[in-house]
Amino acid sequence: MASAMVKGGGSRLIKSVSAALGTRFYAKVATGTDIVSAAPNVSLQKARTWDEGIASKFSTTPLKDIFKDKKVVIFGLPGAYTGVCSNKHVPPYKENIDKFKAKGIDSVICVAVNDPYTMNAWAEKLQAKEAIDFYGDFDGSFHKSLDLVTDLSGALLGTRSERYIIYPP
Amino acid sequence: MAPIAVGSVIPDGTLAYLDDDNKPQTVSIHSLAAAKKVIIFGVPGAFTPTCSLKHVPGFIERAEELKGKGVDEIICISVNDPFVMNSWAKTFPENKHVKFLADGAAKYTNALGLELDLSDKGLGVRSKRFALLVEDLKVKVANVESGGEFTISSAEEIIKAL
């Protein structure tokens, strides 16, 4: 069972990261929510190369496979290759991965409304693939299910995800 | 929308890019193409192999040749946001002339009638692979692949028409 708490700010678990994050907000996911129940039938696409896509027949990963019986931290951001995301949001997670593991977290996942090939190329550029599992939510269905979308058309990005973190109790 | 055909006037539309300060900017297609000879080629996706390894490099390598034959602009468009397009463009450091423009919401691609649903590949609605030769806004050559394959949409093919 995957329970989750959402913080738009930070927590003791990730003090160093919280400073980089934005302000609080209210979403469909709140303390005590079970993510898989809140977003049934939703899948994410693991960051991969096109060849890996072909080899896996472009398979997607259902949420329950990501969260089942695991303690997972998932953080979302507006866009691959954008400033704050690349320079301030991802690096602290990569640098502090050992601290997460020491606290019993099985994996740290980064997700954005981008296709999995762009996510893969970006993850490789940030040299973060070993520490963090990157997933794409190419059509925004994961974020729409959890009411974590924001309209960034003004920045020419369209509908994207909020900046957030979800972690288990 | 029916796909754009030879003899038609290309629709106007707004595409995006990042300027030298990495700020998103927009540009109208007509402002780039009016009274000029331009090549517009479309790709299904930044950071995908055929686009990155074959389609774009072909135009980068033959850019001087195309310019020599009177082509004023070589424009690559894709249904991606301008941040991704900008970063993808940087993976081609040898590029001097090809402009990478973003059609983030697929509006222009739809206006051209060249959209392609690649949701089952995790891409969503994208553009078909194509190359257009446009003179003063009129389409002279329209080489459109039926999907993402790479045959008639290459730089080599369009040079034959010049």
Side-chain angles (χ1 to χ4, degrees), chain B residues 12-77:
Chain B
D12 197 7
T14 309
L15 297 170
Y17 64 97
L18 293 192
D19 64 19
D20 292 335
D21 291 319
N22 287 325
K23 294 214 166 42
Q25 303 287 354
T26 57
V27 66
S28 99
I29 268 281
H30 276 200
S31 71
L32 290 174
K36 294 210 184 117
K37 196 187 266 192
V38 310
I39 287 177
I40 302 174
F41 71 99
V43 302
F47 297 109
T48 60
T50 308
C51 307
S52 305
L53 301 171
K54 297 207 178 121
H55 202 180
V56 170
F59 278 98
I60 290 178
E61 281 152 33
R62 303 192 94 135
E64 298 284 339
E65 201 183 329
L66 289 165
K67 293 244 153 185
K69 288 187 187 268
V71 173
D72 297 296
E73 297 280 3
I74 306 167
I75 296 168
C76 172
I77 69 174

Side-chain angles (χ1 to χ4, degrees), chain B residues 44 50 55 116 129-130 144-153:
Chain B
T50 308
H55 202 180
L116 180 66
R129 193 179 302 288
F130 68 87
V144 181
E145 315 274 4
S146 54
E149 66 277 1
F150 181 58
T151 58
I152 52 173
S153 59

